[in-house]
Amino acid sequence: MARAPSVGRRRRRQGGWLSFFAVLFALMIEQLRPLPRDNWVHDNLISWVGWTGRHFDAGREHHAWVVWCISVLTPTLAAALVYLGLAWQHPAAGLAFDVAVLYLTLGFRQFSHFFTDIRKSLDEGDEILARRRLAEWCHLDASELPRSEFLRHVIEHSLLAAHRHVFGVFFWFAVLSSIGLGPAGAVLYRMAEFASRYWAFKSRALGAPANDRLMDIAQHVFALIDHLPARLTAFGFAVVGNFEEAINGWRRDAGLWKHDNEGIILAAAAGAVGVQLGGAAAPGVTPDRSKTFEAGATLEAAGAAGSTAGVAPQTGHLDSVVGLVWRSVVLWMLLLALLTLANLLG
């Protein structure tokens, strides 16, 4: 006779099934009432990461590791412990905590409104305003860029923002939620991404101590954390776009970008929608992604060494990118539903 599953196993199954609804509810709430750009969460993140740097960084390599672990792993562990405590009391409490944390970490509308405003300005024929909005978003001077380069930046920055604000969070939430740790994965990804960005511009943020090793560690660890999500995002773009061209672009053109994870995402997306991305003439594709940090990427962080195949960016490609991202969101939701169903039945 089959044995009844243990209490812990039943709770893990229940938590895995509820994770699908947590993502669904969080996305719905975020679409209806997104966090404003100036929000208390972002301000507290700056204060937290800055505080750990000031109090635990003395300039040596092992201090850099201490700062990173405290900055990133402490909130991650706290999220896991709070979730376990709430879920043990009642599954609905764990679900509510999942939704709350995902609402704060996904940030779909926190970046998409820039893209929407740029599209609206272009549709209204106000390209000057569209360039001003891109400059505000990316912290780069877009006033003198050729039109195709301007559109390239809009497309590239939107694709990378979609990955970092949606698909990367999806992945790590699903992984750690499947083993009963609730939203800890979402917190891990968001904190690692934020730390890598913060310390890249540490000299301009809150008077933080100068420790190049801390910046290198934060960026290197985030690249490792983002390694698999970036490839899954690229594969998702291929599945919902032109699969053959996306895979060919991935293999042929990913190396054009300095950063592997970004190159894979952008090369696959370029093939999926048939648009030409990359190029060495314009500024780097990864300028500062936050209102708090005033400067864009350094020359050392310049983007692609050449362009992908495809048609030069046109206004119509913005609609193609929107469709690509939304189809990918649906694909990830379907995969999460299958994963949680397997976890429930397994």
Side-chain angles (χ1 to χ4, degrees):
M1 186 173 69
R3 294 183 298 175
S6 65
V7 174
R9 186 178 179 186
R10 289 201 305 270
R11 290 188 180 275
R12 285 194 298 272
R13 287 181 176 181
Q14 197 171 43
W17 174 246
L18 291 177
S19 64
F20 170 78
F21 292 101
V23 174
L24 180 63
F25 293 156
L27 284 175
M28 291 173 61
I29 296 171
E30 219 254 341
Q31 288 297 310
L32 295 172
R33 192 176 181 83
L35 278 174
R37 193 179 183 196
D38 297 302
N39 63 79
W40 62 271
V41 178
H42 188 269
D43 293 339
N44 281 303
L45 283 180
I46 295 172
S47 299
W48 167 250
V49 178
W51 181 86
T52 58
R54 289 192 299 273
H55 286 80
F56 298 98
D57 179 19
R60 297 185 179 180
E61 180 169 350
H62 70 278
H63 294 138
W65 280 107
V66 170
V67 171
W68 188 90
C69 290
I70 294 175
S71 300
V72 176
L73 298 185
T74 298
T76 302
L77 180 60
L81 292 176
V82 172
Y83 171 80
L84 290 172
L86 292 174
W88 185 262
Q89 295 297 320
H90 197 282
L95 174 62
F97 186 65
D98 269 346
V99 173
V101 174
L102 285 170
Y103 172 73
L104 298 176
T105 55
L106 278 173
F108 196 105
R109 289 286 300 278
Q110 291 182 50
F111 79 88
S112 65
H113 77 275
F114 282 107
F115 183 82
T116 301
D117 290 344
I118 291 171
R119 286 177 63 203
K120 181 180 178 181
S121 298
L122 290 174
D123 290 341
E124 294 173 350
D126 193 345
E127 186 169 320
I128 295 176
L129 179 59
R131 289 173 181 267
R132 190 180 307 136
R133 285 171 168 165
L134 177 64
E136 179 187 0
W137 184 18
C138 303
H139 296 274
L140 57 82
D141 183 6
S143 60
E144 301 298 327
L145 289 176
R147 182 179 175 84
S148 63
E149 288 296 316
F150 159 69
L151 293 173
R152 176 182 77 84
H153 273 279
V154 174
I155 292 171
E156 290 181 340
H157 202 71
S158 300
L159 289 167
L160 293 176
H163 168 70
R164 293 183 177 119
H165 285 272
V166 183
F167 304 126
V169 176
F170 267 18
F171 173 82
W172 279 105
F173 171 74
V175 169
L176 294 194
S177 179
S178 68
I179 59 175
L181 295 180
V187 176
L188 172 67
Y189 185 87
R190 175 57 56 235
M191 290 303 304
E193 187 273 338
F194 185 85
S196 72
R197 185 158 35 101
Y198 179 94
W199 292 113
F201 300 94
K202 62 187 183 300
S203 63
R204 304 178 181 91
L206 300 177
N211 186 340
D212 291 338
R213 185 58 180 159
L214 177 54
M215 178 185 68
D216 293 340
I217 287 173
Q219 293 182 336
H220 177 68
V221 175
F222 176 66
L224 294 176
I225 290 173
D226 203 32
H227 181 86
L228 188 53
R231 283 148 182 80
L232 290 176
T233 295
F235 186 75
F237 287 160
V239 171
V240 300
N242 186 324
F243 185 85
E244 183 177 358
E245 289 301 319
I247 296 300
N248 288 339
W250 178 344
R251 293 173 176 172
R252 181 185 63 237
D253 300 324
L256 295 176
W257 281 268
K258 180 178 180 180
H259 303 289
D260 291 342
N261 292 340
E262 295 166 1
I264 287 169
I265 292 168
L266 295 175
V273 298
V275 64
Q276 185 181 88
L277 298 180
V285 301
T286 54
D288 172 25
R289 300 185 299 277
S290 167
K291 69 179 182 62
T292 303
F293 311 131
E294 297 177 354
T298 61
L299 293 176
E300 292 77 12
S307 299
T308 66
V311 179
Q314 302 172 13
T315 305
H317 286 121
L318 300 182
D319 294 330
S320 300
V321 169
V322 172
L324 185 75
V325 170
W326 275 110
R327 291 195 302 272
S328 297
V329 170
V330 173
L331 174 65
W332 279 72
M333 290 299 294
L334 290 174
L335 292 176
L336 182 58
L338 292 174
L339 177 64
T340 53
L341 182 60
N343 188 58
L344 181 67
L345 300 176

